[in-house]
Amino acid sequence: MLSIPVIGGTLFTFLSVVGVSVNVLINCIVLYAIFKGRLLFKGQSSSVYIFSVSSIGMDNLMILIHIIYLIPSIYSQTWLFEGGMDAVPVVLFSFVFMYCWYYTTLSHILISTTRLFAIVNWRNNSLTNERTVVLVVLVHVLSFGGAVFSQFLSPCCKLSFSYEIYSYLYETIPGIPNYSNNIIDLPFNTFSSVCSLVCYTAIILYMRWIGRAVTGEVAFKRRHQEYVYVLDVKYAMQFASMAAFYSISWLSFRILPPLVGNSPSSGWLYGITTLFVLLNSWSNAFVYLIRKTLVKAINKGAVSNSTRTGGTGRQASSTHTQ
């Protein structure tokens, strides 16, 4: 008779393989489209694509370590390496995972604030390609440093892959507080989600305010309205959706332990967090594809309307494509 871990491991492996295959395919399609279209450093309006390429690259790395280690470990119900959780390969895979996760966390803070700045300060946007690259590199450095601290320098407790719960867990030490969680993980996860929520809410409220504002500069108002609307559809809502995927991922890591407990028969439920993390790893590319389809439909309608109105609408909406 098959045990629950074997059944759960087989089912989880199947879902993960399907999900990972879709993840990699979509991510590669989007990267191909960006590079083929030469959008990465096209003029001074490529900051969004720079953010996207860096994020998708880290997403692919996140997926890769699941393919190489966690999924095979869960399927075989072993650590795969002698030494278990403390085996060098397991420690390295866990470190790379945390590096990717910290990058995701900090990138949401960076992207949400820069999107808000770009929309509110649209006439004097100083976020050039060079500055965007510097900010992205800085996020990578901080993410790497955070992973080094939490996984190697902190007295307690590093995060590790675990086939036993199909997910991730802290290696706790009795009598020692979980500094990695208390100093870095929980505060930064919370701040990242709250910052994203505040910034994208502010964008929506700002758009409403612009729509209702009374001004004598009719042409300016119309141009600003159309510009902000296109920006919001093309970029801000894409990143807001990514932030939602991210928040669901880390919240499930916090919510499941008190709900599931330590019962061996229900440990496989922790795999839900892993599935959410994998979904988060393809949210960027998936939302990008949806957004591109939506924007094409909107632009097609805008061109059609401008043809009927003598072309004024098309000129206004094409003045800025950041």
Side-chain angles (χ1 to χ4, degrees):
M1 183 176 179
L2 295 176
S3 63
I4 290 180
V6 172
I7 296 174
T10 303
L11 178 61
F12 178 86
T13 301
F14 172 76
L15 293 175
S16 298
V17 169
V18 173
V20 163
S21 301
V22 174
N23 288 358
V24 173
L25 177 62
I26 293 180
N27 284 350
C28 290
I29 288 175
V30 171
L31 288 176
Y32 174 76
I34 291 175
F35 284 109
K36 183 180 180 181
R38 299 179 180 179
L39 301 174
L40 193 56
F41 293 101
K42 190 174 183 179
Q44 290 299 320
S45 59
S46 305
S47 62
V48 170
Y49 295 106
I50 296 173
F51 287 138
S52 294
V53 167
S54 181
S55 296
I56 293 175
M58 295 301 286
D59 290 340
N60 282 340
L61 181 58
M62 175 82 81
I63 294 171
L64 182 63
I65 59 176
H66 281 78
I67 294 174
I68 294 175
Y69 179 71
L70 184 59
I71 294 176
S73 177
I74 291 174
Y75 180 72
S76 64
Q77 287 292 289
T78 65
W79 291 105
L80 297 182
F81 301 100
E82 186 176 348
M85 193 178 294
D86 296 321
V88 174
V90 179
V91 172
L92 291 178
F93 286 134
S94 300
F95 168 79
V96 174
F97 171 79
M98 293 308 296
Y99 167 46
C100 294
W101 183 255
Y102 288 148
Y103 177 85
T104 301
T105 300
L106 295 177
S107 67
H108 281 300
I109 299 174
L110 174 63
I111 292 172
S112 61
T113 52
T114 54
R115 280 301 87 206
L116 177 61
F117 176 80
I119 291 176
V120 173
N121 196 39
W122 68 281
R123 285 181 295 181
N124 185 31
N125 187 9
S126 58
L127 189 63
T128 62
N129 292 338
E130 292 75 16
R131 291 174 180 174
T132 301
V133 171
V134 170
L135 290 174
V136 169
V137 170
L138 178 60
V139 170
H140 277 284
V141 172
L142 292 175
S143 303
F144 190 88
V148 169
F149 174 80
S150 65
Q151 296 298 102
F152 301 117
L153 302 181
S154 174
C156 183
C157 306
K158 66 180 181 181
L159 195 79
S160 176
F161 289 117
S162 174
Y163 75 88
E164 296 174 323
I165 61 170
Y166 308 83
S167 188
Y168 331 97
L169 55 76
Y170 286 109
E171 289 188 56
T172 58
I173 301 175
I176 300 180
N178 189 342
Y179 293 104
S180 296
N181 176 62
N182 298 339
I183 295 177
I184 298 182
D185 295 351
L186 185 57
F188 277 86
N189 289 341
T190 303
F191 181 75
S192 180
S193 294
V194 171
C195 180
S196 298
L197 177 63
V198 170
C199 288
Y200 295 124
T201 300
I203 289 173
I204 294 173
L205 294 177
Y206 181 75
M207 288 173 60
R208 288 191 174 187
W209 176 78
I210 287 296
R212 296 173 181 175
V214 178
T215 176
E217 302 178 61
V218 178
F220 166 79
K221 180 181 176 183
R222 175 175 180 143
R223 178 170 174 245
H224 194 180
Q225 281 178 308
E226 294 182 359
Y227 164 76
V228 173
Y229 177 73
V230 171
L231 254 186
D232 181 66
V233 173
K234 290 177 64 178
Y235 304 124
M237 293 303 102
Q238 173 190 351
F239 293 120
S241 301
M242 291 164 51
F245 277 104
Y246 163 80
S247 298
I248 292 173
S249 299
W250 77 262
L251 284 173
S252 69
F253 180 77
R254 305 288 172 177
I255 293 173
L256 284 175
L259 295 179
V260 177
N262 297 320
S263 174
S265 61
S266 56
W268 61 273
L269 291 172
Y270 288 106
I272 294 174
T273 296
T274 306
L275 294 177
F276 280 143
V277 169
L278 291 175
L279 285 174
N280 179 64
S281 297
W282 72 295
S283 62
N284 188 354
F286 179 70
V287 174
Y288 177 92
L289 290 178
I290 294 178
R291 188 260 295 171
K292 290 298 288 184
T293 302
L294 179 60
V295 168
K296 285 182 179 179
I298 292 174
N299 288 341
K300 184 177 180 181
V303 171
S304 177
N305 290 336
S306 66
T307 302
R308 292 194 297 267
T309 59
T312 57
R314 181 171 58 184
Q315 182 181 5
S317 63
S318 62
T319 54
H320 196 109
T321 57
Q322 181 176 347

